[in-house]
Amino acid sequence: MNVVDRFLQYVKFDTQSDELTNLWPSTPGQMIFAQHLEKELQAMGLKEISLDENGYLMASLPANTDKPIPTIGFIAHLDTSPDMSGHHVTPRIVTQYKGGNIILNEEKNIVLSPREFPELDHYVGQDLIVTDGNTLLGADDKAGIAEIITAVDYLIKHPEIKHGKIRIAFNPDEEIGQGAHKFDVEQFGAKWAYTMDGGEIGELEYENFNAAQAKITFTGRNVHPGYAKHKMINSIRIANQFMAMLPRWETPEHTEGYEGFYHLTSIEGNVEQTTITYIIRDHDRDRFERRKKELEHLVRKVNNEFPNSTAIEIKDQYYNMREKIEPVKFIIDIAEEAMRNVDVTPHVVPIRGGTDGAQLSFKGLPCPNIFAGGLNFHGRYEYIPVKSMEKATDVIVEIARLVAQR
């Protein structure tokens, strides 16, 4: 089975995660998918296969040489984003894309257009896998899973390629920030690993946001509006005043590259009580800490005007893995060399988000991120070029070969 066949099979599994269930994995579809993969790995003849009650699947490809070679790993996640349905995904292959609009759903007039998504122009002449406009595709991260398993299968069938022990793992709930929480790094037993969870072909990432969530609660006082003068305290208006105090340009829609932001993700309330939630992001640790302090400062300002009206709760989520990767920078060098060897130009970019690799790096498993090839993740316009998946598979094989040669 090739990487495309695997991918088309895997996206049929509904594996959306859900942060509200308080279960592990958060949804049953992830365990069903993991059990399917477990059987596939068994049929391939992999060793040390384990699937625990939390949905973490691990396996080993034994070394095929007596040379002492460090154990390395490749990791991808089982779940898809809760932002859009992953139920009844119906993929379609657009052969030799000729440019211009791709009609995803004629009935609903859903069109994938290079006018809105100019990266499409990079893939003219290639086969693209797209959605039918009703769901996401699931390339994030079923493409990564398909690439890892296909690469391991290739190594099994080509014993002339010498390699050390290779560990693979597929974990649940990455999309809700919990993928690495119960990942047993000691059991995994690799010196370092790579997550196959990046975007466009060539992307190589070892920097990500420092991240926190802030929940701010405003308490008001409700009285009849006809008799409210000097009595009513409207929590919605206080919340609105607070939001207006934040810099309007430091938001996701106005930032790129290494620029951080405050992102308002939810607001819910009435006159008596309003709650807003922000996520705070910055690559620089000092600026990240200053952003948190700025929110706390604004809460104090609001409380000076409306005493005891406003409370804030800030929780750190993850940190920039760069500080853990730089001491072992050779693992980035290996990935870059592997890409060049298979005719892929490396493009080192910061992740404007998080990755399981960040949390794993802080748990003692250095784990940069390599492209899986998809674009427009988490929505109906998601697509993936077939060539990008094939090249990602080649990169995995080449990394295994290069590590054995060192």
Side-chain angles (χ1 to χ4, degrees):
M1 193 183 306
N2 63 32
V3 68
V4 173
D5 291 337
R6 282 192 170 91
F7 177 70
L8 294 177
Q9 180 186 90
Y10 297 165
V11 298
K12 304 274 185 197
F13 289 85
D14 184 359
T15 60
Q16 277 184 277
S17 47
D18 184 348
E19 64 182 349
L20 300 178
T21 65
N22 295 317
L23 300 174
W24 219 295
S26 65
T27 52
Q30 296 182 71
M31 183 62 84
I32 292 169
F33 184 35
Q35 290 167 343
H36 170 86
L37 294 174
E38 179 184 32
K39 292 176 182 176
E40 184 174 356
L41 300 180
Q42 289 169 344
M44 289 170 58
L46 295 192
K47 306 301 181 182
E48 300 176 321
I49 300 172
S50 64
L51 175 60
D52 68 18
E53 69 276 9
N54 297 310
Y56 290 77
L57 175 62
M58 298 182 182
S60 297
L61 175 64
N64 63 359
T65 174
D66 293 331
K67 179 182 176 181
I69 300 168
T71 299
I72 64 171
F74 296 93
I75 300 168
H77 62 88
L78 300 162
D79 63 319
T80 59
S81 171
D83 291 347
M84 190 168 193
S85 174
H87 187 54
H88 291 315
V89 172
T90 306
R92 173 169 64 95
I93 299 179
V94 177
T95 57
Q96 295 182 329
Y97 170 58
K98 296 177 176 58
N101 292 347
I102 299 173
I103 298 174
L104 301 179
N105 192 307
E106 187 171 6
E107 180 183 353
K108 296 181 179 179
N109 194 31
I110 299 172
V111 178
L112 178 60
S113 170
R115 186 166 50 194
E116 284 81 30
F117 304 103
E119 295 84 3
L120 273 168
D121 290 335
H122 302 165
Y123 302 102
V124 172
Q126 297 189 30
D127 293 349
L128 309 180
I129 304 176
V130 301
T131 76
D132 67 355
N134 291 313
T135 68
L136 48 65
L137 179 61
D140 181 12
D141 188 25
K142 286 166 182 163
I145 295 174
E147 291 152 7
I148 291 169
I149 293 179
T150 303
V152 169
D153 188 41
Y154 185 89
L155 289 169
I156 292 171
K157 293 173 179 175
H158 292 81
E160 71 276 9
I161 302 174
K162 299 306 176 184
H163 58 82
K165 182 178 179 179
I166 296 171
R167 290 284 278 162
I168 65 175
F170 308 124
N171 59 267
D173 293 328
E174 187 269 353
E175 297 291 359
I176 58 175
Q178 298 176 359
H181 286 191
K182 295 190 177 183
F183 191 108
D184 191 331
V185 169
E186 184 176 353
Q187 178 190 350
F188 192 56
K191 292 292 186 182
W192 74 87
Y194 302 92
T195 51
M196 301 299 298
D197 191 21
E200 282 196 88
I201 185 170
E203 286 190 2
L204 175 58
E205 302 157 324
Y206 65 94
E207 299 177 79
N208 60 279
F209 277 140
N210 296 289
Q213 183 184 74
K215 180 179 178 182
I216 307 159
T217 303
F218 305 88
T219 301
R221 182 170 62 225
N222 195 15
V223 297
H224 190 289
Y227 307 93
K229 188 173 182 178
H230 303 314
K231 297 175 184 176
M232 177 185 286
I233 300 174
N234 190 328
S235 74
I236 301 173
R237 291 180 62 83
I238 302 174
N240 184 61
Q241 180 174 319
F242 178 92
M243 291 184 285
M245 294 164 73
L246 284 168
R248 60 176 299 193
W249 302 114
E250 295 182 22
T251 59
E253 57 267 39
H254 293 112
T255 53
E256 61 183 355
Y258 287 94
E259 297 170 333
F261 56 73
Y262 305 93
H263 178 37
L264 179 65
T265 60
S266 69
I267 178 168
E268 181 179 355
N270 51 39
V271 173
E272 285 279 354
Q273 187 174 87
T274 298
T275 300
I276 61 176
T277 303
Y278 279 91
I279 59 173
I280 307 160
R281 300 289 187 264
D282 211 299
H283 285 92
D284 183 89
R285 187 65 174 265
D286 289 337
R287 288 198 302 265
F288 172 66
E289 295 298 333
R290 289 200 299 270
R291 288 186 183 279
K292 292 189 291 183
K293 290 184 183 300
E294 176 64 12
L295 288 181
E296 292 171 338
H297 169 66
L298 295 181
V299 166
R300 288 193 294 271
K301 288 187 69 172
V302 171
N303 277 327
N304 284 337
E305 184 174 354
F306 304 98
N308 302 315
S309 66
T310 306
I312 186 169
E313 179 185 5
I314 299 178
K315 292 183 178 179
D316 286 358
Q317 296 170 306
Y318 51 83
Y319 303 109
N320 190 345
M321 66 172 135
R322 177 173 180 165
E323 64 183 84
K324 299 298 183 182
I325 300 298
E326 284 190 328
V328 289
K329 188 76 179 307
F330 70 90
I331 70 179
I332 300 299
D333 299 335
I334 291 171
E336 288 188 288
E337 183 179 353
M339 288 186 192
R340 292 191 185 97
N341 288 352
V342 300
D343 298 320
V344 171
T345 301
H347 182 41
V348 178
V349 294
I351 305 172
R352 286 186 59 79
T355 172
D356 284 333
Q359 296 184 51
L360 291 173
S361 294
F362 279 88
K363 291 180 75 170
L365 179 67
C367 196
N369 192 40
I370 292 175
F371 72 93
L375 297 96
N376 300 342
F377 292 151
H378 298 188
R380 69 181 82 246
Y381 299 104
E382 184 181 3
Y383 68 96
I384 190 166
V386 168
K387 182 180 177 181
S388 298
M389 283 197 293
E390 293 171 345
K391 286 296 186 180
T393 303
D394 293 343
V395 168
I396 296 169
V397 171
E398 185 64 9
I399 287 174
R401 189 187 72 82
L402 287 174
V403 172
Q405 284 187 343
R406 290 177 65 88

